[in-house]
Amino acid sequence: MNRPRTVMDYLRLAAGHLAASGVDCPRLDAEVLLGWVLGLDRVRLYVEHDRPLTPPEVDAYRACIARRARREPVAYITGVREFYSRPFFVDHRVLIPRPETEHLVEVALEELGRRFPGEKERRVLDVGTGSGAVAITVALEAPGTRVVAVDVSPGALEVAQRNAEALGAAERVRFLESDVFSAVGEETYHAIVSNPPYVSASEWEQLPPDVRQYEPREALLGGTDGLDLIRRLAAGAPPRLVLGGFLAMEIGEGQGEAARRILAEHGFGEIRTIRDLAGKDRVVFGVKEAR
C-alpha cells in the first residue's frame, strides 16, 4: 500500500509546478500557500514535514497552486499582505503594498517628528491611498496625527476602511473619494504623502504578468513618462500645505532628477530624493517655503 503524501511531498510537487509555470520564487510561494491552507507558519511546515494532508486540504492547496500558476499574486490568493509588520487585507481592487513603500512612511514619520514636534494635532493627507497602508501606518505610528486619505476608486476606499477598522485606526483616519485634490476642500496639512501611479507607457509591457494582468492598471500607469500624477501633486500641494509643511512621493527608478525638477518648478525648497535599500531613488521630498 502506498504511503499517503505528506507536507514535504506536496511542497516538492507544487514548487516544481510553479517553477514550470515561470513563477519567480516557486518554493517560497509553495510554502506560503500551504502554510495558509493549513494555518501554519513556514517553520511549523518543516516541523510537521511528514504530516499527511486530508482530502479537503489537498483540494484547497491544489486550487491555490492553480491560481498561482496562472500568475495571480500570492497576496490576492491569501487576501493578506504584511506592511510595516501589520497584516493588511488586499484584493483586486487595490495595489499590493510593497516593502519599498515603507521608505515613504519612514520619511513622513521622521519629518513630522522633526518639523512639528510641538503640534497638538498634526494633519496628514494621503493621496491615492489604495489599501490604506500608508495612511493607517502613519496614523498608528505617529501619536497626535490625524490623516485624511483619498482615492478615486470607491472599491479601494472600501478596502482601506476595512483595514482601518481591523487595525484600530478608524478614529484616526478619514477616507474620502477624490480625484487627487478635487474633493479635499481648503484645509491645510503638515504633510502630503502619496504613492502615485508612476509606471510609464513604455514600461507597462515589461511588467511581469503577476502585476500587469492582476493589479489595478489605474494604480500603476502614470502616463507617457510616468510623471502625470507627480506633476498634479506638485502643482496642487502648495496651497494645501502649512508653511514648512512637506510633500513626499514615491517615485520609480530613474525618475529622481525629473521629479526634483518638477518640485522646483512649483516653488518647493529643501528638495531631495531618498534611496531604497537597493540604492535606487525611491522617494522625492520637498518643503513649502515662504516666498
Side-chain angles (χ1 to χ4, degrees):
M1 181 176 179
N2 293 332
R3 69 174 179 83
R5 284 177 172 165
T6 64
V7 163
M8 193 57 61
D9 294 327
Y10 280 106
L11 281 178
R12 292 194 189 100
L13 290 168
H17 181 56
L18 293 180
S21 302
V23 171
D24 285 341
C25 302
R27 181 69 179 205
L28 174 62
D29 290 355
E31 291 171 354
V32 170
L33 290 171
L34 184 54
W36 181 70
V37 167
L38 300 181
L40 302 174
D41 61 28
R42 290 171 61 205
V43 172
R44 291 299 306 175
L45 281 179
Y46 285 93
V47 171
E48 302 186 23
H49 65 93
D50 57 350
R51 164 186 163 179
L53 270 64
T54 66
E57 289 171 343
V58 172
D59 291 344
Y61 189 46
R62 284 176 173 163
C64 289
I65 294 301
R67 290 172 67 181
R68 185 65 187 117
R70 294 192 294 268
R71 306 303 290 274
E72 184 175 358
V74 170
Y76 288 155
I77 299 172
T78 63
V80 66
R81 180 61 172 257
E82 184 176 290
F83 183 83
Y84 227 83
S85 300
R86 293 184 178 91
F88 282 81
F89 166 72
V90 293
D91 64 19
H92 294 82
R93 294 172 290 179
V94 298
L95 195 69
I96 298 168
R98 267 69 169 177
E100 294 84 358
T101 304
E102 294 187 1
H103 290 283
L104 177 63
V105 171
E106 289 165 359
V107 169
L109 294 173
E110 179 182 348
E111 295 295 337
L112 282 169
R114 186 168 71 88
R115 294 175 185 276
F116 306 105
E119 290 285 342
K120 182 178 179 181
E121 180 183 75
R122 293 170 294 189
R123 300 179 300 280
V124 175
L125 176 65
D126 176 30
V127 180
T129 196
S131 66
V134 171
I136 291 166
T137 303
V138 169
L140 293 175
E141 295 290 328
T145 300
R146 179 172 59 84
V147 182
V148 175
V150 305
D151 203 290
V152 72
S153 166
L157 292 170
E158 290 177 5
V159 173
Q161 183 68 53
R162 171 174 170 173
N163 281 320
E165 292 169 357
L167 295 169
E171 294 183 0
R172 302 274 299 280
V173 185
R174 179 167 68 94
F175 296 100
L176 180 67
E177 185 176 342
S178 179
D179 181 9
V180 188
F181 300 116
S182 64
V184 170
E186 298 181 358
E187 186 173 22
T188 55
Y189 298 87
H190 298 89
I192 297 175
V193 297
S194 181
N195 177 16
Y198 54 73
V199 174
S200 68
S202 63
E203 292 172 320
W204 175 255
E205 292 302 325
Q206 308 305 315
L207 293 176
D210 316 54
V211 177
R212 194 176 65 253
Q213 295 176 12
Y214 288 95
E215 299 197 65
R217 184 185 181 102
E218 63 275 13
L220 291 161
L221 269 174
T224 302
D225 61 0
L227 298 168
D228 284 2
L229 266 292
I230 290 169
R231 291 188 183 94
R232 291 181 65 188
L233 285 160
R240 295 173 173 87
L241 284 168
V242 302
L243 189 63
F246 61 88
L247 170 65
M249 299 178 286
E250 182 170 333
I251 57 174
E253 182 181 359
Q255 292 179 335
E257 182 179 352
R260 291 193 299 271
R261 185 168 60 249
I262 291 169
L263 263 62
E265 290 170 355
H266 293 284
F268 284 91
E270 300 185 41
I271 299 168
R272 69 180 192 273
T273 48
I274 294 90
R275 294 181 176 180
D276 61 21
L277 296 177
K280 301 173 183 177
D281 287 345
R282 183 57 58 189
V283 177
V284 65
F285 173 91
V287 176
K288 179 178 177 177
E289 297 182 331
R291 290 190 173 184

